[in-house]
Amino acid sequence: DAKTTQPPSMDCAEGRAANLPCNHSTISGNEYVYWYRQIHSQGPQYIIHGLKNNETNEMASLIITEDRKSSTLILPHATLRDTAVYYCIVRAWVNNAGNMLTFGGGTRLMVKP
Amino acid sequence: EADIYQTPRYLVIGTGKKITLECSQTMGHDKMYWYQQDPGMELHLIHYSYGVNSTEKGDLSSESTVSRIRTEHFPLTLESARPSHTSQYLCASSAPRPGGGDYGYTFGSGTRLTVV
């Protein structure tokens, strides 16, 4: 699986957009970009994932560069409850395989009033 | 409403005791996983399963064992608990999505184990 690089921490003002970057310069053509977050010591929560195209759901938007070497997770209107550690993970999906996720250090996002 | 359940939520137990951490999911997912996480540290995969009767060890060596007799159930057992086993244990499951990739992992709330 491709290695990812994320800033260890970021701050964001409440109500503003939070843009979390992730570099994955060694990504392969069949690897997806996944984003998860972990609030305090709860189980991680799936946010969004994509392969090539930008994706949007009720939680966030995922912007993947054309060369796929980096991506940005966008929380359009951050709230205090979005304070969490955000993980960017890159891996392929293979049928009949384990498809395990490897979590790195992530970005600790602090949303401030 | 949780679709993956872990019990107990908290457990304090003495050294040498045998314990089983329960994990059940109601989504019919074939793939299930156990992660271990110390406070403020990264998650590490310790076990996973492709489906019934399939179990594999993860990246982090663990003295625990798992079984997968039913699709919905993936218990983790420690035969003889030690203080070094004190940690949070998180269970997850996933399923493929039509068109590629998966729907993402669904994690349980975790079991926080303390061995004294």
Side-chain angles (χ1 to χ4, degrees):
Chain A
D1 293 341
K3 181 180 171 57
T4 61
T5 303
Q6 298 178 255
S9 64
M10 291 180 61
D11 290 343
C12 177
E14 187 179 20
R16 304 296 292 269
N19 298 299
L20 293 95
C22 180
N23 286 323
H24 31 79
S25 58
T26 61
I27 191 171
S28 299
N30 64 341
E31 290 182 314
Y32 291 79
V33 181
Y34 292 83
W35 283 85
Y36 286 77
R37 72 179 182 184
Q38 188 174 26
I39 297 173
H40 194 43
S41 58
Q42 298 176 21
Q45 177 188 24
Y46 165 80
I47 301 173
I48 199 167
H49 78 282
L51 183 62
K52 297 179 182 178
N53 300 321
N54 298 336
E55 303 285 345
T56 295
N57 62 20
E58 65 278 5
M59 290 183 67
S61 295
L62 173 62
I63 307 299
I64 303 174
T65 58
E66 192 168 343
D67 63 6
R68 301 186 70 237
K69 294 185 176 182
S70 65
S71 61
T72 301
L73 179 75
I74 300 172
L75 307 178
H77 305 286
T79 70
L80 299 179
R81 288 181 293 181
D82 292 322
T83 292
V85 178
Y86 287 78
Y87 298 98
C88 170
I89 303 168
V90 173
R91 67 132 159 88
W93 174 266
V94 181
N95 287 334
N96 300 319
N99 294 297
M100 299 77 73
L101 289 173
T102 300
F103 289 82
T107 295
R108 188 173 297 275
L109 176 69
M110 180 74 71
V111 180
K112 298 184 175 181
Chain B
E1 183 179 330
D3 295 310
I4 184 164
Y5 306 91
Q6 290 188 245
T7 58
R9 184 74 177 90
Y10 301 93
L11 179 62
V12 180
I13 200 164
T15 297
K17 299 292 185 182
K18 177 180 179 179
I19 57 171
T20 296
L21 308 185
E22 300 289 348
C23 177
S24 295
Q25 49 98 3
T26 59
M27 298 169 284
H29 288 174
D30 286 331
K31 302 184 197 301
M32 296 189 73
Y33 312 86
W34 275 102
Y35 284 82
Q36 183 176 344
Q37 184 179 35
D38 294 331
M41 305 299 285
E42 297 179 8
L43 289 98
H44 294 283
L45 179 70
I46 51 175
H47 297 284
Y48 62 99
S49 168
Y50 296 92
V52 171
N53 294 325
S54 137
T55 61
E56 302 286 343
K57 290 189 178 297
D59 303 323
L60 180 68
S61 175
S62 173
E63 294 170 341
S64 59
T65 59
V66 292
S67 63
R68 190 85 184 278
I69 299 172
R70 304 196 315 266
T71 297
E72 63 271 22
H73 197 211
F74 191 39
L76 181 146
T77 299
L78 278 165
E79 290 293 332
S80 179
R82 295 208 299 268
S84 61
H85 296 142
T86 294
S87 190
Q88 177 166 237
Y89 293 84
L90 290 154
C91 182
S93 70
S94 72
R97 187 174 75 167
D102 60 350
Y103 290 103
Y105 281 21
T106 300
F107 276 86
S109 299
T111 294
R112 192 173 295 280
L113 173 66
T114 302
V115 183
V116 298

